[in-house]
Amino acid sequence: MSEPAEHSPEPGAAEPGAPAPTGADLARSALRAARAQARQRGEQVREKREAKRHGLRSGARSDGRDPVPLGAALNRLLTERGWESSAAVGGVMGRWPQIVGPDIAAHCHPSSYDEAAAVLTVQCDSTAWATQLRWLARQLVARLNHELGHGTVRTIKVLGPAAPARGYGRLRAPGSKGPGDTWG
């Protein structure tokens, strides 16, 4: 058979057959109990401090839940989503006259941007302006990269004026492109 489990006496309690505790023994056991409670409270305080250090808190100090200015929130969103270059190119579309100057902006405008190839497509209103812009393309790429960040635009694709709509009529030569044969 198994032996009966030993019963550990509570602190300050007298063991059977032992003399009753005196004042000094009671004081020692009370001191041991007070130290254990203090140790436990100290652990709780330390855990609270650790939680505050690691963001598990709320209070008067700033954290990620605090309101931020709209510009800072938008910049953080653009960075988190990886939209910096798209937003920068969108800014170029809106600031085109300030970047290239009023003369060029009056006759040429950006129409699209291919982010994968870093190609900006510019539409001109005449073939003369398209030719002029092709001559200035290297300088424009340098200026755009200065505004947007290095490598954002590698090439500028210059398009001439759009041809007028084709008129399909009864009298048409086979294989002809219509006015597109001689336009631009």
Side-chain angles (χ1 to χ4, degrees), residues 83-118:
W83 295 339
E84 292 102 347
S85 65
S86 299
V89 171
V92 165
M93 303 286 190
R95 295 182 302 130
W96 182 252
Q98 289 88 13
I99 294 172
V100 298
D103 293 336
I104 295 174
H107 299 282
C108 306
H109 64 277
S111 59
S112 66
Y113 176 72
D114 180 13
E115 190 171 348

Side-chain angles (χ1 to χ4, degrees), residues 28 41 70 72 80 86 109 148 162 174:
R28 276 190 213 104
R41 279 195 309 267
L70 181 62
E80 287 173 358
S86 299
H109 64 277
L148 303 175

Side-chain angles (χ1 to χ4, degrees), residues 52-53 57-66:
K52 281 185 180 182
R53 282 187 196 140
R57 64 177 171 80
S58 65
R61 294 194 177 103
S62 64
D63 62 5
R65 300 172 296 164
D66 288 343

Side-chain angles (χ1 to χ4, degrees), residues 26-40:
L26 289 174
R28 276 190 213 104
S29 69
L31 180 61
R32 264 188 261 129
R35 283 183 180 164
Q37 287 176 350
R39 222 177 290 121
Q40 187 178 12

Side-chain angles (χ1 to χ4, degrees), residues 145-164:
N145 283 329
H146 176 73
E147 292 281 329
L148 303 175
H150 184 69
T152 306
V153 177
R154 289 189 192 129
T155 310
I156 293 181
K157 182 179 176 182
V158 180
L159 302 177

